[in-house]
Amino acid sequence: LARAASGGGGSGGGLSAGEEAEGAEQPKKRPRVNALALLMGAARARPLVGWEVAEERISEELEAHLATWVLRERFFADESKKVRNFGLAWRQGGGHDLTAPFRPIPSELKGLWAAILPTLPSAIASMGEPNQVALKRYHLDGACHYAPHRSGDVLGYHCDCQFNDVRYVVGVSLLSDSSLVFRNTQKQVHKRIILQRATYSMVGEALTDWTHALFDIRRPGRLSVTYRLVCS
């Protein structure tokens, strides 16, 4: 885990057009592709507003520290658990429960937030600190070893605002590269690459008008830390 964290035929003999036998089957014409129309259609595709990836990634040392902490705390010793929530609890049936007792956010996750805060859009920084943090594993077993047999660890299409008013989502991708796929009700799709140790954020339309999913989980597995500000 520490190692993973650090780092043709001739021209003769054919009949001319006048020599073709009457009634001979003619080759089907291929439909003409209007390249200009395709380009214009692509230009009209709705942009993914509200999505950003920070230019600066967290350090390898911080990534290794977080991975070691997850292993030491045995957050995923229970093989059935895919995610651990801190701050607001997840309500059975969907959504974050603003009335349940607040679960303390560990100092390691507060420290990570402090480290990435200067790299985030100013609009997010001005909204305040997150009140919900999720730690999730992808293709990792209880000892944080690569476990590709855990096929249920993918993240299907969903909207973070389905049950709550979520003002922002900020994520940090650990251990491997990955990608998020966005789609909207017009069946438009955007794919965004997330490099290992990168920080990404979603606000506004990226949260409310698009769903997103993550399917490509690469060796040696993935850990994600996701911060949310849930208002109602």
Side-chain angles (χ1 to χ4, degrees), residues 98-131:
L98 279 73
T99 64
F102 195 83
R103 300 176 179 179
I105 298 174
S107 59
E108 283 78 5
L109 299 182
K110 289 183 177 180
L112 176 59
W113 176 259
I116 65 176
L117 185 58
T119 71
L120 298 177
S122 57
I124 290 180
S126 65
M127 292 182 193
E129 295 185 351
N131 56 5

PDB file of all heavy atoms in Angstrom, residues 98-131:
ATOM      1  N   LEU A  98     -29.860  15.710   8.647  1.00  0.00           N
ATOM      2  CA  LEU A  98     -29.417  16.897   9.369  1.00  0.00           C
ATOM      3  C   LEU A  98     -29.860  16.898  10.826  1.00  0.00           C
ATOM      4  O   LEU A  98     -29.437  17.753  11.597  1.00  0.00           O
ATOM      5  CB  LEU A  98     -29.914  18.169   8.685  1.00  0.00           C
ATOM      6  CG  LEU A  98     -29.100  18.647   7.462  1.00  0.00           C
ATOM      7  CD1 LEU A  98     -29.346  17.762   6.258  1.00  0.00           C
ATOM      8  CD2 LEU A  98     -29.411  20.097   7.125  1.00  0.00           C
ATOM      9  N   THR A  99     -30.715  15.940  11.212  1.00  0.00           N
ATOM     10  CA  THR A  99     -31.201  15.894  12.588  1.00  0.00           C
ATOM     11  C   THR A  99     -30.452  14.879  13.444  1.00  0.00           C
ATOM     12  O   THR A  99     -30.573  14.912  14.673  1.00  0.00           O
ATOM     13  CB  THR A  99     -32.701  15.543  12.608  1.00  0.00           C
ATOM     14  OG1 THR A  99     -32.891  14.222  12.080  1.00  0.00           O
ATOM     15  CG2 THR A  99     -33.493  16.531  11.764  1.00  0.00           C
ATOM     16  N   ALA A 100     -29.697  14.006  12.823  1.00  0.00           N
ATOM     17  CA  ALA A 100     -28.969  12.971  13.571  1.00  0.00           C
ATOM     18  C   ALA A 100     -27.750  13.577  14.259  1.00  0.00           C
ATOM     19  O   ALA A 100     -27.245  14.632  13.844  1.00  0.00           O
ATOM     20  CB  ALA A 100     -28.537  11.854  12.631  1.00  0.00           C
ATOM     21  N   PRO A 101     -27.255  12.936  15.318  1.00  0.00           N
ATOM     22  CA  PRO A 101     -26.039  13.426  15.987  1.00  0.00           C
ATOM     23  C   PRO A 101     -24.876  13.537  15.008  1.00  0.00           C
ATOM     24  O   PRO A 101     -24.689  12.675  14.149  1.00  0.00           O
ATOM     25  CB  PRO A 101     -25.773  12.355  17.054  1.00  0.00           C
ATOM     26  CG  PRO A 101     -27.099  11.742  17.306  1.00  0.00           C
ATOM     27  CD  PRO A 101     -27.824  11.754  15.995  1.00  0.00           C
ATOM     28  N   PHE A 102     -24.121  14.601  15.149  1.00  0.00           N
ATOM     29  CA  PHE A 102     -23.000  14.879  14.247  1.00  0.00           C
ATOM     30  C   PHE A 102     -21.839  13.954  14.593  1.00  0.00           C
ATOM     31  O   PHE A 102     -21.418  13.872  15.752  1.00  0.00           O
ATOM     32  CB  PHE A 102     -22.576  16.339  14.393  1.00  0.00           C
ATOM     33  CG  PHE A 102     -21.687  16.834  13.285  1.00  0.00           C
ATOM     34  CD1 PHE A 102     -22.228  17.272  12.084  1.00  0.00           C
ATOM     35  CD2 PHE A 102     -20.315  16.875  13.439  1.00  0.00           C
ATOM     36  CE1 PHE A 102     -21.419  17.746  11.071  1.00  0.00           C
ATOM     37  CE2 PHE A 102     -19.496  17.347  12.422  1.00  0.00           C
ATOM     38  CZ  PHE A 102     -20.047  17.784  11.243  1.00  0.00           C
ATOM     39  N   ARG A 103     -21.330  13.248  13.602  1.00  0.00           N
ATOM     40  CA  ARG A 103     -20.190  12.364  13.809  1.00  0.00           C
ATOM     41  C   ARG A 103     -18.906  13.172  13.631  1.00  0.00           C
ATOM     42  O   ARG A 103     -18.688  13.768  12.574  1.00  0.00           O
ATOM     43  CB  ARG A 103     -20.214  11.218  12.804  1.00  0.00           C
ATOM     44  CG  ARG A 103     -21.448  10.344  12.889  1.00  0.00           C
ATOM     45  CD  ARG A 103     -21.439   9.299  11.791  1.00  0.00           C
ATOM     46  NE  ARG A 103     -22.596   8.433  11.858  1.00  0.00           N
ATOM     47  CZ  ARG A 103     -22.835   7.440  10.995  1.00  0.00           C
ATOM     48  NH1 ARG A 103     -21.998   7.238   9.997  1.00  0.00           N
ATOM     49  NH2 ARG A 103     -23.905   6.686  11.128  1.00  0.00           N
ATOM     50  N   PRO A 104     -18.035  13.205  14.614  1.00  0.00           N
ATOM     51  CA  PRO A 104     -16.810  14.022  14.510  1.00  0.00           C
ATOM     52  C   PRO A 104     -16.000  13.676  13.264  1.00  0.00           C
ATOM     53  O   PRO A 104     -15.838  12.496  12.914  1.00  0.00           O
ATOM     54  CB  PRO A 104     -16.046  13.666  15.784  1.00  0.00           C
ATOM     55  CG  PRO A 104     -17.086  13.182  16.739  1.00  0.00           C
ATOM     56  CD  PRO A 104     -18.118  12.490  15.909  1.00  0.00           C
ATOM     57  N   ILE A 105     -15.523  14.699  12.586  1.00  0.00           N
ATOM     58  CA  ILE A 105     -14.664  14.505  11.417  1.00  0.00           C
ATOM     59  C   ILE A 105     -13.231  14.326  11.908  1.00  0.00           C
ATOM     60  O   ILE A 105     -12.710  15.185  12.626  1.00  0.00           O
ATOM     61  CB  ILE A 105     -14.766  15.703  10.455  1.00  0.00           C
ATOM     62  CG1 ILE A 105     -16.207  15.818   9.938  1.00  0.00           C
ATOM     63  CG2 ILE A 105     -13.784  15.555   9.295  1.00  0.00           C
ATOM     64  CD1 ILE A 105     -16.459  17.051   9.094  1.00  0.00           C
ATOM     65  N   PRO A 106     -12.562  13.233  11.575  1.00  0.00           N
ATOM     66  CA  PRO A 106     -11.202  12.979  12.068  1.00  0.00           C
ATOM     67  C   PRO A 106     -10.231  14.088  11.697  1.00  0.00           C
ATOM     68  O   PRO A 106     -10.372  14.754  10.665  1.00  0.00           O
ATOM     69  CB  PRO A 106     -10.820  11.657  11.390  1.00  0.00           C
ATOM     70  CG  PRO A 106     -12.133  11.003  11.077  1.00  0.00           C
ATOM     71  CD  PRO A 106     -13.065  12.120  10.752  1.00  0.00           C
ATOM     72  N   SER A 107      -9.227  14.284  12.539  1.00  0.00           N
ATOM     73  CA  SER A 107      -8.242  15.345  12.312  1.00  0.00           C
ATOM     74  C   SER A 107      -7.489  15.146  11.000  1.00  0.00           C
ATOM     75  O   SER A 107      -7.088  16.122  10.353  1.00  0.00           O
ATOM     76  CB  SER A 107      -7.257  15.392  13.486  1.00  0.00           C
ATOM     77  OG  SER A 107      -6.588  14.146  13.639  1.00  0.00           O
ATOM     78  N   GLU A 108      -7.294  13.882  10.581  1.00  0.00           N
ATOM     79  CA  GLU A 108      -6.596  13.628   9.314  1.00  0.00           C
ATOM     80  C   GLU A 108      -7.375  14.194   8.130  1.00  0.00           C
ATOM     81  O   GLU A 108      -6.783  14.739   7.183  1.00  0.00           O
ATOM     82  CB  GLU A 108      -6.380  12.123   9.126  1.00  0.00           C
ATOM     83  CG  GLU A 108      -5.257  11.521   9.954  1.00  0.00           C
ATOM     84  CD  GLU A 108      -5.667  11.295  11.398  1.00  0.00           C
ATOM     85  OE1 GLU A 108      -6.866  11.513  11.734  1.00  0.00           O
ATOM     86  OE2 GLU A 108      -4.800  10.898  12.186  1.00  0.00           O
ATOM     87  N   LEU A 109      -8.702  14.089   8.188  1.00  0.00           N
ATOM     88  CA  LEU A 109      -9.521  14.611   7.092  1.00  0.00           C
ATOM     89  C   LEU A 109      -9.660  16.125   7.170  1.00  0.00           C
ATOM     90  O   LEU A 109      -9.778  16.793   6.142  1.00  0.00           O
ATOM     91  CB  LEU A 109     -10.891  13.939   7.105  1.00  0.00           C
ATOM     92  CG  LEU A 109     -10.861  12.409   6.919  1.00  0.00           C
ATOM     93  CD1 LEU A 109     -12.274  11.846   6.900  1.00  0.00           C
ATOM     94  CD2 LEU A 109     -10.114  12.037   5.649  1.00  0.00           C
ATOM     95  N   LYS A 110      -9.626  16.669   8.377  1.00  0.00           N
ATOM     96  CA  LYS A 110      -9.583  18.128   8.522  1.00  0.00           C
ATOM     97  C   LYS A 110      -8.262  18.677   7.991  1.00  0.00           C
ATOM     98  O   LYS A 110      -8.216  19.732   7.346  1.00  0.00           O
ATOM     99  CB  LYS A 110      -9.762  18.516   9.986  1.00  0.00           C
ATOM    100  CG  LYS A 110     -11.163  18.290  10.534  1.00  0.00           C
ATOM    101  CD  LYS A 110     -11.263  18.764  11.973  1.00  0.00           C
ATOM    102  CE  LYS A 110     -12.674  18.625  12.523  1.00  0.00           C
ATOM    103  NZ  LYS A 110     -12.760  19.084  13.935  1.00  0.00           N
ATOM    104  N   GLY A 111      -7.170  17.946   8.258  1.00  0.00           N
ATOM    105  CA  GLY A 111      -5.862  18.374   7.759  1.00  0.00           C
ATOM    106  C   GLY A 111      -5.786  18.330   6.249  1.00  0.00           C
ATOM    107  O   GLY A 111      -5.185  19.220   5.623  1.00  0.00           O
ATOM    108  N   LEU A 112      -6.404  17.325   5.646  1.00  0.00           N
ATOM    109  CA  LEU A 112      -6.426  17.256   4.183  1.00  0.00           C
ATOM    110  C   LEU A 112      -7.217  18.422   3.611  1.00  0.00           C
ATOM    111  O   LEU A 112      -6.808  19.031   2.608  1.00  0.00           O
ATOM    112  CB  LEU A 112      -7.043  15.926   3.742  1.00  0.00           C
ATOM    113  CG  LEU A 112      -7.232  15.734   2.240  1.00  0.00           C
ATOM    114  CD1 LEU A 112      -5.906  15.833   1.502  1.00  0.00           C
ATOM    115  CD2 LEU A 112      -7.923  14.398   1.945  1.00  0.00           C
ATOM    116  N   TRP A 113      -8.343  18.767   4.232  1.00  0.00           N
ATOM    117  CA  TRP A 113      -9.129  19.913   3.770  1.00  0.00           C
ATOM    118  C   TRP A 113      -8.307  21.196   3.832  1.00  0.00           C
ATOM    119  O   TRP A 113      -8.321  22.006   2.892  1.00  0.00           O
ATOM    120  CB  TRP A 113     -10.400  20.050   4.594  1.00  0.00           C
ATOM    121  CG  TRP A 113     -11.218  21.261   4.240  1.00  0.00           C
ATOM    122  CD1 TRP A 113     -11.278  22.450   4.915  1.00  0.00           C
ATOM    123  CD2 TRP A 113     -12.065  21.417   3.095  1.00  0.00           C
ATOM    124  NE1 TRP A 113     -12.120  23.328   4.278  1.00  0.00           N
ATOM    125  CE2 TRP A 113     -12.613  22.712   3.157  1.00  0.00           C
ATOM    126  CE3 TRP A 113     -12.421  20.574   2.049  1.00  0.00           C
ATOM    127  CZ2 TRP A 113     -13.495  23.191   2.190  1.00  0.00           C
ATOM    128  CZ3 TRP A 113     -13.303  21.049   1.082  1.00  0.00           C
ATOM    129  CH2 TRP A 113     -13.825  22.348   1.159  1.00  0.00           C
ATOM    130  N   ALA A 114      -7.577  21.383   4.914  1.00  0.00           N
ATOM    131  CA  ALA A 114      -6.739  22.578   5.050  1.00  0.00           C
ATOM    132  C   ALA A 114      -5.673  22.619   3.962  1.00  0.00           C
ATOM    133  O   ALA A 114      -5.320  23.699   3.459  1.00  0.00           O
ATOM    134  CB  ALA A 114      -6.096  22.606   6.436  1.00  0.00           C
ATOM    135  N   ALA A 115      -5.163  21.453   3.575  1.00  0.00           N
ATOM    136  CA  ALA A 115      -4.114  21.393   2.561  1.00  0.00           C
ATOM    137  C   ALA A 115      -4.636  21.730   1.168  1.00  0.00           C
ATOM    138  O   ALA A 115      -3.931  22.359   0.370  1.00  0.00           O
ATOM    139  CB  ALA A 115      -3.470  20.011   2.563  1.00  0.00           C
ATOM    140  N   ILE A 116      -5.872  21.321   0.852  1.00  0.00           N
ATOM    141  CA  ILE A 116      -6.387  21.542  -0.499  1.00  0.00           C
ATOM    142  C   ILE A 116      -7.163  22.844  -0.634  1.00  0.00           C
ATOM    143  O   ILE A 116      -7.398  23.312  -1.755  1.00  0.00           O
ATOM    144  CB  ILE A 116      -7.299  20.371  -0.941  1.00  0.00           C
ATOM    145  CG1 ILE A 116      -8.556  20.292  -0.067  1.00  0.00           C
ATOM    146  CG2 ILE A 116      -6.515  19.055  -0.913  1.00  0.00           C
ATOM    147  CD1 ILE A 116      -9.552  19.226  -0.509  1.00  0.00           C
ATOM    148  N   LEU A 117      -7.550  23.444   0.485  1.00  0.00           N
ATOM    149  CA  LEU A 117      -8.379  24.653   0.435  1.00  0.00           C
ATOM    150  C   LEU A 117      -7.779  25.760  -0.436  1.00  0.00           C
ATOM    151  O   LEU A 117      -8.514  26.382  -1.230  1.00  0.00           O
ATOM    152  CB  LEU A 117      -8.634  25.173   1.848  1.00  0.00           C
ATOM    153  CG  LEU A 117      -9.585  26.362   1.977  1.00  0.00           C
ATOM    154  CD1 LEU A 117     -10.945  26.032   1.393  1.00  0.00           C
ATOM    155  CD2 LEU A 117      -9.720  26.772   3.458  1.00  0.00           C
ATOM    156  N   PRO A 118      -6.463  26.037  -0.366  1.00  0.00           N
ATOM    157  CA  PRO A 118      -5.911  27.107  -1.215  1.00  0.00           C
ATOM    158  C   PRO A 118      -6.005  26.809  -2.707  1.00  0.00           C
ATOM    159  O   PRO A 118      -5.870  27.728  -3.531  1.00  0.00           O
ATOM    160  CB  PRO A 118      -4.446  27.183  -0.760  1.00  0.00           C
ATOM    161  CG  PRO A 118      -4.426  26.585   0.605  1.00  0.00           C
ATOM    162  CD  PRO A 118      -5.459  25.506   0.569  1.00  0.00           C
ATOM    163  N   THR A 119      -6.204  25.553  -3.096  1.00  0.00           N
ATOM    164  CA  THR A 119      -6.263  25.186  -4.512  1.00  0.00           C
ATOM    165  C   THR A 119      -7.678  25.203  -5.067  1.00  0.00           C
ATOM    166  O   THR A 119      -7.866  25.022  -6.275  1.00  0.00           O
ATOM    167  CB  THR A 119      -5.674  23.785  -4.731  1.00  0.00           C
ATOM    168  OG1 THR A 119      -6.567  22.781  -4.189  1.00  0.00           O
ATOM    169  CG2 THR A 119      -4.317  23.648  -4.049  1.00  0.00           C
ATOM    170  N   LEU A 120      -8.681  25.415  -4.210  1.00  0.00           N
ATOM    171  CA  LEU A 120     -10.077  25.350  -4.638  1.00  0.00           C
ATOM    172  C   LEU A 120     -10.558  26.689  -5.189  1.00  0.00           C
ATOM    173  O   LEU A 120     -10.004  27.743  -4.864  1.00  0.00           O
ATOM    174  CB  LEU A 120     -10.965  24.934  -3.462  1.00  0.00           C
ATOM    175  CG  LEU A 120     -10.698  23.551  -2.861  1.00  0.00           C
ATOM    176  CD1 LEU A 120     -11.617  23.315  -1.657  1.00  0.00           C
ATOM    177  CD2 LEU A 120     -10.892  22.469  -3.898  1.00  0.00           C
ATOM    178  N   PRO A 121     -11.606  26.678  -6.022  1.00  0.00           N
ATOM    179  CA  PRO A 121     -12.195  27.934  -6.499  1.00  0.00           C
ATOM    180  C   PRO A 121     -12.614  28.816  -5.325  1.00  0.00           C
ATOM    181  O   PRO A 121     -13.085  28.309  -4.296  1.00  0.00           O
ATOM    182  CB  PRO A 121     -13.402  27.469  -7.317  1.00  0.00           C
ATOM    183  CG  PRO A 121     -13.070  26.074  -7.737  1.00  0.00           C
ATOM    184  CD  PRO A 121     -12.286  25.495  -6.609  1.00  0.00           C
ATOM    185  N   SER A 122     -12.471  30.111  -5.484  1.00  0.00           N
ATOM    186  CA  SER A 122     -12.777  31.038  -4.393  1.00  0.00           C
ATOM    187  C   SER A 122     -14.240  30.943  -3.972  1.00  0.00           C
ATOM    188  O   SER A 122     -14.573  31.154  -2.803  1.00  0.00           O
ATOM    189  CB  SER A 122     -12.446  32.471  -4.816  1.00  0.00           C
ATOM    190  OG  SER A 122     -13.155  32.823  -6.007  1.00  0.00           O
ATOM    191  N   ALA A 123     -15.133  30.607  -4.906  1.00  0.00           N
ATOM    192  CA  ALA A 123     -16.548  30.487  -4.569  1.00  0.00           C
ATOM    193  C   ALA A 123     -16.778  29.398  -3.535  1.00  0.00           C
ATOM    194  O   ALA A 123     -17.617  29.538  -2.631  1.00  0.00           O
ATOM    195  CB  ALA A 123     -17.364  30.193  -5.825  1.00  0.00           C
ATOM    196  N   ILE A 124     -16.032  28.312  -3.621  1.00  0.00           N
ATOM    197  CA  ILE A 124     -16.175  27.227  -2.653  1.00  0.00           C
ATOM    198  C   ILE A 124     -15.584  27.645  -1.318  1.00  0.00           C
ATOM    199  O   ILE A 124     -16.173  27.419  -0.256  1.00  0.00           O
ATOM    200  CB  ILE A 124     -15.495  25.943  -3.177  1.00  0.00           C
ATOM    201  CG1 ILE A 124     -16.290  25.392  -4.357  1.00  0.00           C
ATOM    202  CG2 ILE A 124     -15.367  24.901  -2.065  1.00  0.00           C
ATOM    203  CD1 ILE A 124     -15.710  24.130  -4.962  1.00  0.00           C
ATOM    204  N   ALA A 125     -14.417  28.261  -1.351  1.00  0.00           N
ATOM    205  CA  ALA A 125     -13.766  28.687  -0.108  1.00  0.00           C
ATOM    206  C   ALA A 125     -14.655  29.644   0.681  1.00  0.00           C
ATOM    207  O   ALA A 125     -14.657  29.631   1.917  1.00  0.00           O
ATOM    208  CB  ALA A 125     -12.422  29.324  -0.423  1.00  0.00           C
ATOM    209  N   SER A 126     -15.446  30.466  -0.024  1.00  0.00           N
ATOM    210  CA  SER A 126     -16.282  31.460   0.654  1.00  0.00           C
ATOM    211  C   SER A 126     -17.552  30.854   1.256  1.00  0.00           C
ATOM    212  O   SER A 126     -18.222  31.496   2.060  1.00  0.00           O
ATOM    213  CB  SER A 126     -16.672  32.563  -0.330  1.00  0.00           C
ATOM    214  OG  SER A 126     -17.503  32.059  -1.369  1.00  0.00           O
ATOM    215  N   MET A 127     -17.892  29.628   0.886  1.00  0.00           N
ATOM    216  CA  MET A 127     -19.130  29.009   1.386  1.00  0.00           C
ATOM    217  C   MET A 127     -18.992  28.443   2.794  1.00  0.00           C
ATOM    218  O   MET A 127     -19.984  28.254   3.483  1.00  0.00           O
ATOM    219  CB  MET A 127     -19.572  27.883   0.440  1.00  0.00           C
ATOM    220  CG  MET A 127     -20.031  28.357  -0.916  1.00  0.00           C
ATOM    221  SD  MET A 127     -20.570  26.942  -1.925  1.00  0.00           S
ATOM    222  CE  MET A 127     -20.667  27.695  -3.552  1.00  0.00           C
ATOM    223  N   GLY A 128     -17.772  28.162   3.193  1.00  0.00           N
ATOM    224  CA  GLY A 128     -17.578  27.597   4.522  1.00  0.00           C
ATOM    225  C   GLY A 128     -17.092  26.159   4.472  1.00  0.00           C
ATOM    226  O   GLY A 128     -16.982  25.549   3.411  1.00  0.00           O
ATOM    227  N   GLU A 129     -16.802  25.619   5.651  1.00  0.00           N
ATOM    228  CA  GLU A 129     -16.246  24.281   5.738  1.00  0.00           C
ATOM    229  C   GLU A 129     -17.304  23.216   5.473  1.00  0.00           C
ATOM    230  O   GLU A 129     -18.497  23.437   5.688  1.00  0.00           O
ATOM    231  CB  GLU A 129     -15.630  24.064   7.127  1.00  0.00           C
ATOM    232  CG  GLU A 129     -14.434  24.956   7.407  1.00  0.00           C
ATOM    233  CD  GLU A 129     -13.781  24.618   8.735  1.00  0.00           C
ATOM    234  OE1 GLU A 129     -14.357  23.822   9.504  1.00  0.00           O
ATOM    235  OE2 GLU A 129     -12.692  25.152   8.998  1.00  0.00           O
ATOM    236  N   PRO A 130     -16.890  22.044   5.029  1.00  0.00           N
ATOM    237  CA  PRO A 130     -17.851  20.966   4.783  1.00  0.00           C
ATOM    238  C   PRO A 130     -18.415  20.417   6.087  1.00  0.00           C
ATOM    239  O   PRO A 130     -17.756  20.458   7.128  1.00  0.00           O
ATOM    240  CB  PRO A 130     -16.993  19.912   4.061  1.00  0.00           C
ATOM    241  CG  PRO A 130     -15.600  20.161   4.549  1.00  0.00           C
ATOM    242  CD  PRO A 130     -15.501  21.652   4.713  1.00  0.00           C
ATOM    243  N   ASN A 131     -19.631  19.906   6.004  1.00  0.00           N
ATOM    244  CA  ASN A 131     -20.231  19.271   7.183  1.00  0.00           C
ATOM    245  C   ASN A 131     -20.492  17.785   6.963  1.00  0.00           C
ATOM    246  O   ASN A 131     -21.119  17.126   7.784  1.00  0.00           O
ATOM    247  CB  ASN A 131     -21.528  19.970   7.600  1.00  0.00           C
ATOM    248  CG  ASN A 131     -22.547  20.035   6.468  1.00  0.00           C
ATOM    249  OD1 ASN A 131     -22.347  19.491   5.387  1.00  0.00           O
ATOM    250  ND2 ASN A 131     -23.656  20.720   6.729  1.00  0.00           N
TER     251      ASN A 131
END
